[in-house]
Amino acid sequence: MYADGKMLLSVIQNIVSNALKHTKAGGNISISAKKKEDKIIVEIKDNGSGMSKEIQDQIFTPQMHRLSEVRKENKGAGIGLLLVKGFLEKNGGEIWVESVEGEGSSFLFYFTY
Ligand SMILES: Nc1ncnc2c1ncn2[C@@H]1O[C@H](COP(=O)(O)OP(=O)(O)OP(=O)(O)O)[C@@H](O)[C@H]1O
Ligand SMILES: [Mg+2]
């Protein structure tokens, strides 16, 4: 794929560290990648707490105030996914989330290659 290697590592570390924070011991976190047309789609999937639609709509934009309660609970600074999104966009990629509250989350992103 065509991307900055250190940036890609940082993206994966951020998303996996979130998955670890929100998944109980004994849960599952998986990373997979597949080709689709001129893109490589990477998926990081967990079967942890999941997120409501409302939270899903806010996690990639600066929402420090409204998300502050959730972020205080998990002791996050609340900037990981903002950085991840910025990194990906600078490398011509995109990120999105699919999640069901109580069942888990999948973070998907792509690069061109
Ligand atoms: N895998 C996940 N499962 C459930 N909720 C998640 C998951 N990943 C992210 N979130 C939610 O999205 C919010 C934003 O994530 P983000 O990485 O931007 O901030 P943070 O992890 O709280 O803090 P930081 O990454 O700066 O330490 C989290 O606070 C959490 O509510
Ligand atoms: Mg984080």
Side-chain angles (χ1 to χ4, degrees), residues 18-19 21-22 46 49-51 59 70-71 74 76-81 105 107:
N18 282 344
K21 272 197 282 193
H22 298 281
D46 68 60
S49 64
M51 282 166 267
I59 53 178
V70 186
R71 283 173 171 165
N74 69 42
I79 56 168
L81 291 175
S105 311
F107 283 83

Side-chain angles (χ1 to χ4, degrees), residues 16-31:
V16 170
S17 110
N18 282 344
L20 288 168
K21 272 197 282 193
H22 298 281
T23 305
K24 289 203 178 103
N28 275 307
I29 298 168
S30 66
I31 306 179

Side-chain angles (χ1 to χ4, degrees), residues 6-88:
K6 286 184 180 147
M7 182 277 317
L8 176 59
L9 189 60
S10 182
V11 164
I12 293 172
Q13 279 172 343
N14 266 286
I15 298 173
V16 170
S17 110
N18 282 344
L20 288 168
K21 272 197 282 193
H22 298 281
T23 305
K24 289 203 178 103
N28 275 307
I29 298 168
S30 66
I31 306 179
S32 60
K34 63 180 179 212
K35 278 190 197 168
K36 196 181 175 192
E37 291 150 18
D38 63 338
K39 296 182 175 74
I40 293 180
I41 301 177
V42 180
E43 176 171 16
I44 299 173
K45 186 180 166 78
D46 68 60
N47 63 355
S49 64
M51 282 166 267
S52 65
K53 264 269 168 271
E54 200 201 349
I55 290 183
Q56 290 173 51
D57 287 346
Q58 297 174 44
I59 53 178
F60 298 112
T61 52
Q63 299 276 356
M64 304 302 272
H65 182 66
R66 293 178 69 189
L67 283 180
S68 60
E69 287 309 311
V70 186
R71 283 173 171 165
K72 239 185 275 164
E73 255 171 54
N74 69 42
K75 299 187 174 66
I79 56 168
L81 291 175
L82 296 182
L83 290 172
V84 161
K85 184 178 159 73
F87 281 159
L88 284 167

